[in-house]
Coordinates of all heavy atoms in Angstrom, one line a residue:
M1 N -7.0 71.1 125.3 CA -6.1 69.9 125.0 C -6.2 69.6 123.6 O -7.3 69.8 123.0 CB -6.5 68.8 125.9 CG -5.8 67.6 125.7 SD -6.0 66.2 126.8 CE -7.7 66.3 127.2
V2 N -5.1 69.2 123.0 CA -5.1 68.9 121.6 C -4.7 67.4 121.5 O -4.4 66.7 122.5 CB -4.1 69.7 120.8 CG1 -4.5 71.1 120.8 CG2 -2.6 69.6 121.4
Q3 N -4.8 66.9 120.4 CA -4.6 65.4 120.1 C -3.2 65.0 120.3 O -2.9 63.8 120.5 CB -5.1 65.0 118.7 CG -5.2 63.5 118.5 CD -5.8 63.3 117.1 OE1 -6.5 64.0 116.5 NE2 -5.5 62.0 116.6
D4 N -2.2 66.0 120.1 CA -0.8 65.6 120.1 C -0.4 65.0 121.5 O -0.7 65.3 122.6 CB 0.0 66.9 120.0 CG -0.2 67.6 118.7 OD1 -0.8 67.0 117.8 OD2 0.2 68.8 118.6
C5 N 0.4 63.9 121.4 CA 1.1 63.3 122.4 C 2.1 64.2 122.9 O 2.7 65.0 122.2 CB 1.6 61.9 122.2 SG 0.4 60.7 121.6
F6 N 2.6 64.0 124.2 CA 3.7 64.9 124.7 C 5.0 64.7 123.8 O 5.4 63.6 123.5 CB 4.1 64.5 126.1 CG 5.2 65.2 126.6 CD1 5.1 66.5 127.1 CD2 6.5 64.6 126.6 CE1 6.2 67.3 127.6 CE2 7.7 65.3 127.1 CZ 7.4 66.6 127.5
T7 N 5.6 65.8 123.6 CA 7.0 65.9 123.0 C 7.5 67.2 123.5 O 6.9 68.2 123.7 CB 7.0 65.9 121.5 OG1 8.3 66.0 121.0 CG2 6.2 67.0 120.9
N8 N 8.8 67.2 123.9 CA 9.4 68.4 124.5 C 9.9 69.3 123.4 O 10.5 70.3 123.8 CB 10.5 68.1 125.6 CG 11.6 67.3 125.0 OD1 11.6 66.7 124.0 ND2 12.7 67.3 125.8
S9 N 9.8 69.1 122.2 CA 10.1 70.0 121.1 C 9.3 69.8 119.9 O 8.6 68.7 119.8 CB 11.7 69.9 120.8 OG 11.9 68.8 120.1
Y10 N 9.5 70.6 118.9 CA 8.8 70.4 117.7 C 9.6 69.6 116.6 O 9.3 69.4 115.5 CB 8.4 71.7 117.0 CG 7.2 72.4 117.7 CD1 7.4 73.6 118.3 CD2 6.0 71.9 117.6 CE1 6.4 74.3 118.9 CE2 4.9 72.5 118.2 CZ 5.1 73.7 118.8 OH 4.0 74.4 119.4
A11 N 10.8 69.1 117.0 CA 11.8 68.5 116.2 C 11.1 67.4 115.3 O 11.4 67.3 114.1 CB 12.9 68.0 116.9
D12 N 10.4 66.5 115.9 CA 9.8 65.4 115.2 C 8.4 65.6 114.8 O 7.7 64.6 114.4 CB 9.9 64.1 116.0 CG 11.3 63.8 116.2 OD1 12.2 63.9 115.4 OD2 11.7 63.3 117.4
A13 N 7.8 66.8 115.0 CA 6.4 67.0 114.8 C 6.1 66.9 113.3 O 7.0 67.4 112.4 CB 6.0 68.4 115.3
P14 N 4.9 66.4 112.9 CA 4.5 66.4 111.5 C 4.4 67.8 110.9 O 4.1 68.7 111.6 CB 3.1 65.8 111.5 CG 3.0 65.1 112.8 CD 3.9 65.9 113.8
T15 N 4.8 68.0 109.7 CA 4.7 69.3 109.0 C 3.5 69.5 108.2 O 3.2 70.5 107.6 CB 5.9 69.4 108.1 OG1 6.0 68.4 107.1 CG2 7.2 69.4 108.9
D16 N 2.6 68.5 108.2 CA 1.3 68.5 107.4 C 0.1 68.9 108.2 O -1.0 68.8 107.7 CB 1.1 67.2 106.6 CG 0.8 66.0 107.6 OD1 0.9 66.2 108.8 OD2 0.6 64.9 107.1
G17 N 0.3 69.3 109.5 CA -0.8 69.7 110.3 C -1.5 68.5 111.0 O -2.3 68.7 111.8
S18 N -1.0 67.3 110.8 CA -1.6 66.2 111.5 C -1.1 66.1 112.9 O 0.0 66.7 113.3 CB -1.2 64.9 110.8 OG 0.1 64.6 110.8
A19 N -1.7 65.3 113.8 CA -1.3 65.2 115.2 C -0.1 64.4 115.3 O 0.2 63.5 114.6 CB -2.5 64.5 116.0
Y20 N 0.7 64.8 116.4 CA 1.9 64.1 116.8 C 1.4 62.9 117.7 O 1.1 63.1 118.8 CB 2.9 64.9 117.5 CG 4.1 64.2 118.0 CD1 5.2 64.0 117.1 CD2 4.2 63.7 119.3 CE1 6.3 63.3 117.6 CE2 5.3 63.1 119.7 CZ 6.3 62.8 118.9 OH 7.4 62.2 119.3
E21 N 1.5 61.7 117.2 CA 1.0 60.6 118.0 C 2.0 59.4 118.1 O 1.6 58.3 118.1 CB -0.3 60.0 117.3 CG -1.4 61.0 117.4 CD -2.8 60.4 116.8 OE1 -2.9 60.3 115.7 OE2 -3.6 60.1 117.7
N22 N 3.3 59.8 118.1 CA 4.3 58.8 118.4 C 4.3 58.4 119.8 O 4.7 59.2 120.7 CB 5.7 59.3 118.0 CG 5.8 59.5 116.5 OD1 4.9 59.1 115.7 ND2 6.8 60.2 116.1
D23 N 3.8 57.2 120.1 CA 3.7 56.7 121.5 C 5.0 56.0 121.8 O 5.2 54.9 121.6 CB 2.6 55.8 121.7 CG 2.3 55.5 123.1 OD1 2.8 56.2 124.1 OD2 1.6 54.5 123.4
I24 N 6.0 56.8 122.4 CA 7.3 56.2 122.7 C 7.5 56.2 124.2 O 6.8 56.9 125.0 CB 8.4 57.0 122.0 CG1 8.4 58.5 122.5 CG2 8.3 56.9 120.5 CD1 9.5 59.3 122.1
V25 N 8.4 55.4 124.7 CA 8.9 55.5 126.1 C 9.8 56.7 126.3 O 10.8 56.9 125.5 CB 9.6 54.2 126.5 CG1 10.1 54.3 127.9 CG2 8.7 53.0 126.4
L26 N 9.5 57.6 127.2 CA 10.2 58.8 127.3 C 11.6 58.6 128.0 O 11.7 57.8 128.9 CB 9.4 59.8 128.1 CG 8.1 60.3 127.4 CD1 7.3 61.2 128.4 CD2 8.4 61.1 126.1
N27 N 12.6 59.2 127.4 CA 13.9 59.2 127.9 C 14.5 60.6 127.7 O 15.1 60.8 126.7 CB 14.8 58.1 127.3 CG 16.2 58.1 127.9 OD1 16.4 58.6 129.0 ND2 17.1 57.4 127.3
I28 N 14.2 61.6 128.6 CA 14.5 62.9 128.3 C 15.2 63.5 129.6 O 15.1 62.9 130.6 CB 13.3 63.8 128.0 CG1 12.2 63.6 129.0 CG2 12.8 63.5 126.6 CD1 10.9 64.4 128.7
S29 N 15.9 64.6 129.5 CA 16.6 65.2 130.5 C 16.0 66.6 130.9 O 15.0 67.0 130.2 CB 18.1 65.4 130.2 OG 18.2 66.2 129.1
G30 N 16.5 67.2 131.9 CA 16.0 68.5 132.3 C 14.8 68.5 133.1 O 14.5 67.5 133.8
E31 N 13.9 69.5 132.9 CA 12.6 69.6 133.7 C 11.7 68.5 133.6 O 10.8 68.3 134.4 CB 12.0 70.9 133.5 CG 11.4 71.1 132.1 CD 10.8 72.5 131.9 OE1 9.9 72.9 132.7 OE2 11.1 73.1 130.9
F32 N 11.7 67.8 132.4 CA 10.8 66.7 132.3 C 11.4 65.3 132.6 O 10.7 64.2 132.3 CB 10.3 66.7 130.8 CG 9.7 67.9 130.4 CD1 10.2 68.8 129.4 CD2 8.5 68.3 131.0 CE1 9.6 70.0 129.0 CE2 7.8 69.6 130.7 CZ 8.4 70.3 129.7
A33 N 12.5 65.2 133.2 CA 13.2 64.0 133.5 C 12.3 63.1 134.3 O 12.5 61.8 134.2 CB 14.6 64.2 134.1
F34 N 11.5 63.6 135.2 CA 10.7 62.8 136.1 C 9.6 61.9 135.3 O 9.1 61.0 135.7 CB 9.8 63.6 137.1 CG 8.9 64.5 136.4 CD1 7.5 64.0 136.3 CD2 9.2 65.8 135.9 CE1 6.5 64.8 135.7 CE2 8.2 66.6 135.4 CZ 6.9 66.1 135.2
M35 N 9.5 62.3 133.9 CA 8.5 61.5 133.1 C 9.2 60.3 132.5 O 8.6 59.5 131.8 CB 8.0 62.4 132.0 CG 7.2 63.6 132.6 SD 7.0 64.8 131.4 CE 5.7 64.2 130.3
N36 N 10.6 60.1 132.7 CA 11.3 59.0 132.0 C 10.6 57.6 132.4 O 10.2 57.4 133.6 CB 12.8 59.0 132.5 CG 13.5 60.2 131.8 OD1 13.2 60.6 130.7 ND2 14.6 60.5 132.3
G37 N 10.6 56.8 131.5 CA 10.0 55.5 131.7 C 8.5 55.4 131.4 O 7.9 54.3 131.3
T38 N 7.8 56.6 131.3 CA 6.4 56.6 131.0 C 6.2 56.8 129.5 O 7.2 57.1 128.7 CB 5.6 57.7 131.7 OG1 6.2 59.0 131.3 CG2 5.9 57.5 133.2
R39 N 5.0 56.6 129.0 CA 4.8 56.7 127.5 C 4.3 58.1 127.1 O 3.6 58.7 127.9 CB 3.7 55.6 127.2 CG 4.2 54.2 127.5 CD 3.7 53.2 126.7 NE 4.0 53.2 125.2 CZ 5.0 52.7 124.7 NH1 5.9 52.0 125.4 NH2 5.2 52.8 123.4
S40 N 4.8 58.6 126.0 CA 4.5 59.9 125.6 C 3.0 60.2 125.4 O 2.5 61.3 125.7 CB 5.3 60.2 124.3 OG 4.8 59.4 123.3
C41 N 2.1 59.2 125.0 CA 0.8 59.4 124.8 C 0.0 59.3 126.1 O -1.2 59.5 126.1 CB 0.3 58.5 123.7 SG 0.7 58.9 122.0
A42 N 0.7 59.0 127.2 CA 0.0 59.2 128.5 C -0.2 60.7 128.9 O -0.9 61.0 129.8 CB 0.9 58.5 129.7
Y43 N 0.4 61.5 128.2 CA 0.4 63.0 128.4 C -0.1 63.6 127.1 O 0.3 63.2 126.0 CB 1.7 63.6 128.8 CG 2.4 62.9 130.0 CD1 3.2 61.9 129.8 CD2 2.1 63.4 131.2 CE1 3.8 61.2 130.9 CE2 2.6 62.7 132.3 CZ 3.6 61.7 132.1 OH 4.1 61.1 133.3
R44 N -1.0 64.5 127.2 CA -1.5 65.3 126.0 C -1.0 66.7 126.1 O -1.0 67.3 127.1 CB -2.9 65.1 125.8 CG -3.4 63.7 125.5 CD -2.9 63.2 124.2 NE -3.1 61.7 124.1 CZ -3.2 61.1 123.0 NH1 -3.2 61.7 121.9 NH2 -3.4 59.8 123.0
M45 N -0.9 67.4 125.0 CA -0.5 68.8 124.9 C -1.7 69.7 125.1 O -2.8 69.3 124.6 CB 0.3 69.1 123.6 CG 1.5 68.3 123.4 SD 2.8 68.3 124.7 CE 3.2 70.1 124.7
V46 N -1.5 70.8 125.7 CA -2.5 71.8 126.0 C -1.9 73.1 125.3 O -0.7 73.4 125.5 CB -2.7 72.1 127.5 CG1 -3.7 73.2 127.7 CG2 -3.2 70.8 128.1
R47 N -2.7 73.7 124.6 CA -2.2 75.0 123.9 C -3.1 76.1 124.3 O -4.3 76.0 124.6 CB -2.4 74.8 122.3 CG -1.4 73.7 121.7 CD -1.4 73.8 120.3 NE -0.6 72.8 119.8 CZ 0.7 72.8 119.7 NH1 1.4 73.8 120.1 NH2 1.3 71.8 119.1
G48 N -2.4 77.2 124.4 CA -3.1 78.4 124.8 C -3.2 78.4 126.4 O -2.7 77.6 127.0
G49 N -4.0 79.3 126.9 CA -4.2 79.5 128.4 C -5.6 79.8 128.6 O -6.5 79.5 127.9
D50 N -5.8 80.4 129.8 CA -7.1 80.9 130.2 C -7.1 82.4 130.6 O -6.1 83.0 130.5 CB -7.6 80.0 131.4 CG -6.8 80.1 132.6 OD1 -6.8 81.3 133.2 OD2 -6.0 79.2 133.0
W51 N -8.2 82.8 131.0 CA -8.5 84.3 131.3 C -7.6 84.8 132.4 O -7.2 86.0 132.4 CB -9.9 84.5 131.7 CG -10.3 83.9 132.9 CD1 -10.8 82.5 133.0 CD2 -10.2 84.3 134.3 NE1 -11.0 82.2 134.4 CE2 -10.7 83.3 135.1 CE3 -9.8 85.5 134.8 CZ2 -10.6 83.4 136.5 CZ3 -9.8 85.6 136.2 CH2 -10.4 84.6 137.0
G52 N -7.0 83.9 133.2 CA -6.1 84.4 134.3 C -4.7 84.4 133.9 O -3.8 84.8 134.7
D53 N -4.3 83.9 132.7 CA -2.9 83.9 132.4 C -2.5 85.2 131.7 O -3.3 86.0 131.2 CB -2.7 82.7 131.3 CG -2.8 81.4 132.0 OD1 -2.5 81.2 133.1 OD2 -3.1 80.4 131.3
S54 N -1.2 85.4 131.6 CA -0.6 86.5 131.0 C -0.8 86.4 129.5 O -1.0 85.3 129.0 CB 0.9 86.6 131.3 OG 1.6 85.5 130.7
P55 N -0.7 87.5 128.7 CA -0.8 87.4 127.3 C 0.1 86.5 126.6 O -0.3 85.8 125.6 CB -0.6 88.8 126.8 CG -0.9 89.7 128.0 CD -0.6 88.9 129.2
R56 N 1.3 86.3 127.1 CA 2.2 85.3 126.6 C 1.7 83.9 126.6 O 2.0 83.2 125.8 CB 3.5 85.4 127.4 CG 4.6 84.6 126.9 CD 5.9 84.8 127.7 NE 5.8 84.3 129.1 CZ 6.0 83.1 129.5 NH1 6.2 82.2 128.6 NH2 5.9 82.8 130.8
M57 N 0.9 83.6 127.6 CA 0.4 82.2 127.8 C -0.9 81.9 127.1 O -1.2 80.8 126.8 CB 0.2 82.0 129.3 CG 1.4 82.0 130.1 SD 2.6 80.7 129.7 CE 1.7 79.3 130.1
I58 N -1.6 82.9 126.7 CA -2.8 82.6 126.0 C -2.7 82.5 124.4 O -3.7 82.2 123.8 CB -3.9 83.7 126.3 CG1 -3.5 85.0 125.9 CG2 -4.3 83.6 127.8 CD1 -4.6 86.1 126.1
R59 N -1.5 82.7 123.9 CA -1.3 82.4 122.5 C -1.4 80.9 122.2 O -1.1 80.1 123.0 CB 0.1 82.9 122.2 CG 0.5 84.3 122.3 CD 1.9 84.7 122.0 NE 2.3 84.1 120.8 CZ 3.5 83.3 120.9 NH1 4.2 83.1 121.9 NH2 3.9 82.9 119.7
S60 N -1.9 80.6 121.0 CA -2.0 79.2 120.6 C -0.6 78.5 120.5 O -0.6 77.3 120.6 CB -2.8 79.0 119.3 OG -2.0 79.6 118.3
A61 N 0.4 79.3 120.4 CA 1.7 78.7 120.3 C 2.2 78.3 121.7 O 3.2 77.6 121.8 CB 2.7 79.7 119.7
S62 N 1.6 78.8 122.8 CA 2.0 78.4 124.1 C 1.6 77.0 124.4 O 0.5 76.6 124.2 CB 1.3 79.4 125.1 OG 1.5 79.0 126.4
R63 N 2.6 76.3 124.8 CA 2.4 74.8 125.0 C 2.6 74.4 126.5 O 3.3 75.0 127.2 CB 3.4 74.0 124.2 CG 3.3 74.3 122.8 CD 4.4 73.6 122.0 NE 4.5 72.2 122.2 CZ 5.6 71.6 122.4 NH1 6.8 72.2 122.4 NH2 5.6 70.2 122.6
N64 N 1.8 73.5 127.0 CA 1.8 72.9 128.2 C 1.4 71.4 128.0 O 1.1 71.0 127.0 CB 1.0 73.6 129.3 CG 1.5 73.5 130.7 OD1 2.3 72.5 131.0 ND2 1.1 74.4 131.5
W65 N 1.4 70.7 129.2 CA 1.0 69.3 129.0 C 0.2 68.8 130.2 O 0.2 69.6 131.2 CB 2.3 68.5 128.9 CG 3.2 68.7 130.0 CD1 4.3 69.6 130.0 CD2 3.3 68.0 131.2 NE1 4.9 69.6 131.2 CE2 4.3 68.5 132.0 CE3 2.6 66.9 131.8 CZ2 4.7 68.1 133.2 CZ3 3.0 66.5 133.1 CH2 4.0 67.2 133.7
L66 N -0.5 67.7 130.0 CA -1.2 67.2 131.1 C -1.4 65.7 130.8 O -1.1 65.2 129.8 CB -2.7 67.9 131.2 CG -3.6 67.7 130.1 CD1 -4.5 66.6 130.2 CD2 -4.3 69.0 129.9
P67 N -1.8 65.0 131.7 CA -2.2 65.2 133.2 C -1.0 65.2 134.0 O 0.1 64.9 133.6 CB -3.0 64.0 133.5 CG -2.5 62.9 132.7 CD -2.0 63.5 131.4
G68 N -1.2 65.6 135.2 CA -0.1 65.7 136.2 C 0.3 64.2 136.6 O -0.2 63.2 136.2
L69 N 1.2 64.2 137.6 CA 1.8 62.9 138.0 C 0.8 61.9 138.5 O 0.8 60.7 138.3 CB 2.8 63.2 139.1 CG 4.1 63.7 138.6 CD1 5.1 64.1 139.8 CD2 4.8 62.8 137.6
N70 N -0.3 62.3 139.2 CA -1.2 61.5 139.8 C -2.6 61.5 139.2 O -3.6 61.0 139.7 CB -1.4 61.7 141.3 CG -0.1 61.4 142.0 OD1 0.6 60.4 141.8 ND2 0.3 62.3 143.0
A71 N -2.6 61.9 137.9 CA -3.9 62.0 137.2 C -3.8 61.2 135.9 O -2.7 60.8 135.5 CB -4.2 63.5 136.8
T72 N -4.9 60.8 135.4 CA -5.0 60.2 134.1 C -5.8 61.1 133.1 O -6.4 62.1 133.5 CB -5.6 58.8 134.2 OG1 -7.0 59.0 134.5 CG2 -5.0 58.0 135.2
L73 N -5.7 60.8 131.9 CA -6.6 61.6 130.9 C -8.1 61.4 131.3 O -8.8 62.3 131.0 CB -6.3 61.1 129.5 CG -4.9 61.4 128.9 CD1 -4.8 60.7 127.5 CD2 -4.7 62.9 128.8
Q74 N -8.5 60.3 131.9 CA -9.8 60.1 132.2 C -10.3 61.0 133.4 O -11.5 61.3 133.5 CB -10.1 58.7 132.5 CG -10.1 57.8 131.2 CD -8.6 57.6 130.8 OE1 -7.7 57.6 131.5 NE2 -8.5 57.4 129.4
N75 N -9.4 61.1 134.4 CA -9.8 61.9 135.6 C -9.2 63.3 135.8 O -9.4 63.9 136.7 CB -9.6 61.1 136.8 CG -8.0 60.9 137.2 OD1 -7.3 61.6 136.6 ND2 -7.7 60.0 138.1
Y76 N -8.6 63.8 134.7 CA -7.9 65.1 134.9 C -9.0 66.3 134.8 O -9.9 66.2 134.0 CB -7.0 65.3 133.6 CG -6.3 66.7 133.8 CD1 -5.2 66.9 134.6 CD2 -6.7 67.7 133.0 CE1 -4.6 68.1 134.7 CE2 -6.1 69.0 133.1 CZ -5.0 69.2 134.0 OH -4.4 70.4 134.0
R77 N -8.9 67.1 135.8 CA -9.8 68.3 135.8 C -9.0 69.5 136.1 O -8.0 69.5 136.8 CB -10.9 68.1 136.9 CG -11.8 66.9 136.8 CD -12.7 67.1 135.5 NE -13.5 65.9 135.5 CZ -13.3 64.8 134.7 NH1 -12.2 64.7 134.0 NH2 -14.2 63.8 134.6
S78 N -9.4 70.7 135.5 CA -8.7 71.9 135.7 C -9.6 73.1 135.5 O -10.4 73.1 134.5 CB -7.5 72.0 134.8 OG -6.9 73.3 134.9
T79 N -9.5 74.0 136.4 CA -10.3 75.3 136.2 C -9.6 76.2 135.2 O -10.2 77.1 134.7 CB -10.6 76.0 137.5 OG1 -9.3 76.3 138.1 CG2 -11.4 75.1 138.5
G80 N -8.4 75.9 134.9 CA -7.7 76.7 134.0 C -7.6 76.2 132.6 O -6.8 76.6 131.8
M81 N -8.5 75.3 132.2 CA -8.5 74.7 130.9 C -9.9 74.7 130.4 O -10.8 74.3 131.0 CB -7.9 73.3 130.9 CG -7.7 72.7 129.5 SD -7.0 71.1 129.6 CE -8.3 70.1 130.2
G82 N -10.0 75.1 129.1 CA -11.4 75.0 128.5 C -11.2 74.3 127.2 O -10.4 73.5 127.0
F83 N -12.1 74.7 126.2 CA -11.9 74.1 124.9 C -12.3 75.1 123.9 O -13.0 76.2 124.1 CB -12.9 72.9 124.8 CG -14.4 73.3 124.9 CD1 -15.1 73.5 123.8 CD2 -15.0 73.3 126.1 CE1 -16.5 73.9 123.8 CE2 -16.4 73.6 126.2 CZ -17.1 74.0 125.1
R84 N -11.9 74.9 122.7 CA -12.2 75.7 121.5 C -12.9 74.9 120.6 O -12.6 73.8 120.3 CB -11.0 76.4 120.9 CG -10.3 77.3 121.9 CD -9.0 77.9 121.1 NE -8.5 78.9 122.0 CZ -7.4 78.7 122.7 NH1 -6.6 77.7 122.6 NH2 -6.9 79.7 123.4
V85 N -14.0 75.4 119.9 CA -14.7 74.7 118.9 C -14.0 75.0 117.5 O -13.6 76.1 117.3 CB -16.1 75.2 118.8 CG1 -16.9 74.5 117.7 CG2 -16.8 74.9 120.1
A86 N -13.8 74.0 116.7 CA -13.1 74.1 115.5 C -13.9 73.3 114.5 O -14.5 72.3 114.8 CB -11.7 73.7 115.5
R87 N -13.8 73.6 113.3 CA -14.4 72.9 112.2 C -13.5 73.0 110.9 O -12.9 74.0 110.7 CB -15.8 73.2 111.9 CG -16.1 74.3 111.1 CD -17.6 74.5 110.7 NE -17.7 75.0 109.4 CZ -18.8 75.5 109.0 NH1 -19.8 75.5 109.7 NH2 -18.8 75.9 107.7
T88 N -13.6 72.0 110.1 CA -12.9 72.1 108.8 C -13.7 72.8 107.8 O -14.9 72.5 107.7 CB -12.6 70.6 108.3 OG1 -11.8 70.0 109.3 CG2 -11.8 70.7 107.0
L89 N -13.1 73.7 107.2 CA -13.8 74.5 106.1 C -13.6 73.9 104.7 O -12.4 73.4 104.4 CB -13.3 75.9 106.0 CG -13.6 76.7 107.3 CD1 -12.9 78.1 107.2 CD2 -15.0 76.8 107.6
D90 N -14.5 73.7 103.9 CA -14.4 73.1 102.6 C -13.9 74.2 101.6 O -14.3 75.3 101.6 CB -15.7 72.5 102.2 CG -16.1 71.3 103.0 OD1 -15.2 70.6 103.5 OD2 -17.3 71.2 103.3

């Protein structure tokens, strides 16, 4: 999971590498329409995949979102999600 709040495109994403943290009320169509009326920061973006995914899904450019409809960021659990350690180089 990354710090970015949910967004269904990169159109408004920051270009300086900072996190997308615009907490807006969602009003979108298509496959994400069920999220309408909820706030974008109630969902966080997940990048990459896990060992069981196809090569297309394990790329860092692969995007998904969480939590699901009946989960919160505090109680979300998944066997298909891990973490990567990162640090800033000077």
Side-chain angles (χ1 to χ4, degrees):
M1 178 171 35
V2 295
Q3 186 174 342
D4 297 346
C5 296
F6 174 82
T7 180
N8 63 342
S9 77
Y10 285 116
D12 297 323
T15 58
D16 63 358
S18 62
Y20 176 84
E21 296 187 285
N22 293 347
D23 191 21
I24 60 171
V25 175
L26 295 172
N27 183 17
I28 51 183
S29 60
E31 66 180 309
F32 301 115
F34 67 91
M35 298 163 75
N36 284 342
T38 62
R39 301 204 64 89
S40 59
C41 286
Y43 306 92
R44 297 294 170 154
M45 300 306 296
V46 178
R47 296 194 183 276
D50 63 68
W51 63 273
D53 288 331
S54 66
R56 179 177 70 85
M57 295 297 293
I58 59 174
R59 299 175 44 234
S60 62
S62 174
R63 299 171 57 219
N64 207 337
W65 53 273
L66 63 93
L69 287 175
N70 295 317
T72 66
L73 291 174
Q74 289 75 28
N75 69 14
Y76 182 80
R77 301 290 182 268
S78 171
T79 59
M81 186 177 74
F83 65 92
R84 293 185 176 107
V85 176
R87 81 174 216 196
T88 302
L89 299 176
D90 294 327

